[in-house]
């Protein structure tokens, strides 16, 4: 598909909308191929193209750019674009918005801003989406890294009781034991 989008781009001078869409979709294909740097470049170009903001693809371009940066381990850049997407999200599927909040929390976690990570993990937990168990586990881990062992124990215990079939239960039990040891 990348070759076909490249071919389409060779005709872009005749149609700005076609050129913008081909750039966006080439970026999407590059992302799915694991070429995050090329995807990042295409999404950045797309966002700056005249008229791109009127296209339906524009709504997800920042989200996709954020994921490209996230997978490229540029967490501060990813955070900027995830936050931008979140603040401008209109008519976005709830699961995409929930995923955005998780990735914002993850970016804060990776950059060691634990209070902000906890605040975003709390938003996911409160919404009760399918990733709430992951958010609880990560929140507990943040609490432990913030020297709040009691809080870590409480959230890990809550995770175990609320989501007994979660893939995070074994790790939560282990982390709860580590928190008791620290206390």
């Amino acid at each position: 598909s990348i070759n076909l989008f490249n071919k389409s781009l060779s005709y872009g001078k005749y149609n700005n909308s076609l050129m913008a869409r081909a750039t966006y979709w080439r970026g999407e294909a590059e992302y799915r191929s694991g070429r995050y740097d090329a995807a990042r470049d295409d999404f950045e170009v797309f966002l700056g193209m005249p008229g791109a903001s009127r296209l339906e693809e524009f709504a997800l371009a920042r989200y996709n750019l954020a994921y490209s940066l996230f997978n490229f381990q540029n967490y501060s850049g990813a955070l900027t674009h995830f936050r931008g997407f979140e603040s401008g999200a209109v008519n976005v599927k709830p699961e995409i918005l929930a995923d955005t909040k998780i990735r914002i929390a993850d970016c804060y976690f990776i950059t060691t801003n634990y209070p902000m990570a906890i605040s975003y993990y709390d938003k996911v937990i409160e919404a009760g989406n399918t990733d709430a168990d992951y958010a609880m586990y990560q929140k507990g881990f943040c609490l432990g890294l913030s020297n709040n062992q009691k809080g870590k124990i409480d959230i890990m215990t809550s995770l175990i009781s609320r989501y007994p079939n979660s893939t995070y239960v074994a790790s939560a039990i282990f982390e709860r034991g580590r928190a008791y040891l620290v206390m």
Side-chain angles (χ1 to χ4, degrees):
S1 66
I2 292 171
N3 290 334
L4 293 173
F5 290 127
N6 285 335
K7 189 173 185 175
S8 178
L9 283 167
S10 70
Y11 295 98
K13 63 184 175 190
Y14 302 111
N15 184 326
N16 288 338
S17 175
L18 176 69
M19 188 163 92
R21 283 194 164 114
T23 301
Y24 174 87
W25 287 106
R26 182 177 67 182
E28 182 70 26
E30 289 164 335
Y31 179 86
R32 292 179 188 204
S33 299
R35 296 175 49 203
Y36 305 123
D37 52 343
R40 175 203 59 213
D41 294 345
D42 276 347
F43 292 134
E44 286 176 345
V45 167
F46 172 79
L47 286 168
M49 293 178 107
S53 62
R54 293 188 298 271
L55 300 174
E56 104 182 32
E57 289 88 352
F58 193 79
L60 287 178
R62 281 195 92 172
Y63 176 77
N64 292 341
L65 175 56
Y67 254 112
S68 296
L69 294 168
F70 187 87
N71 287 313
F72 207 50
Q73 298 181 350
N74 178 347
Y75 301 112
S76 60
L79 179 61
T80 298
H81 288 286
F82 278 128
R83 294 283 315 262
F85 175 75
E86 177 196 32
S87 67
V90 179
N91 298 326
V92 174
K93 293 179 182 177
E95 58 271 14
I96 292 175
L97 197 53
D99 180 69
T100 300
K101 290 178 194 310
I102 288 171
R103 293 302 156 239
I104 290 170
D106 288 344
C107 287
Y108 281 128
F109 174 78
I110 291 166
T111 59
T112 67
N113 186 340
Y114 302 127
M116 286 301 293
I118 290 168
S119 124
Y120 269 88
Y121 288 131
D122 277 340
K123 292 178 184 188
V124 175
I125 294 165
E126 289 167 14
N129 294 322
T130 56
D131 292 324
D133 59 338
Y134 169 78
M136 289 178 84
Y137 179 77
Q138 289 296 107
K139 177 184 176 180
F141 212 83
C142 287
L143 290 167
L145 291 170
S146 302
N147 295 317
N148 181 351
Q149 302 308 318
K150 171 82 170 86
K152 179 179 180 177
I153 290 166
D154 291 345
I155 197 74
M156 294 299 182
T157 301
S158 180
L159 164 62
I160 294 162
S161 66
R162 284 177 61 186
Y163 301 100
N165 297 322
S166 169
T167 58
Y168 298 101
V169 167
S171 296
I173 292 168
F174 176 79
E175 288 299 328
R176 191 172 66 170
R178 283 183 39 170
Y180 274 119
L181 182 63
V182 170
M183 285 176 53

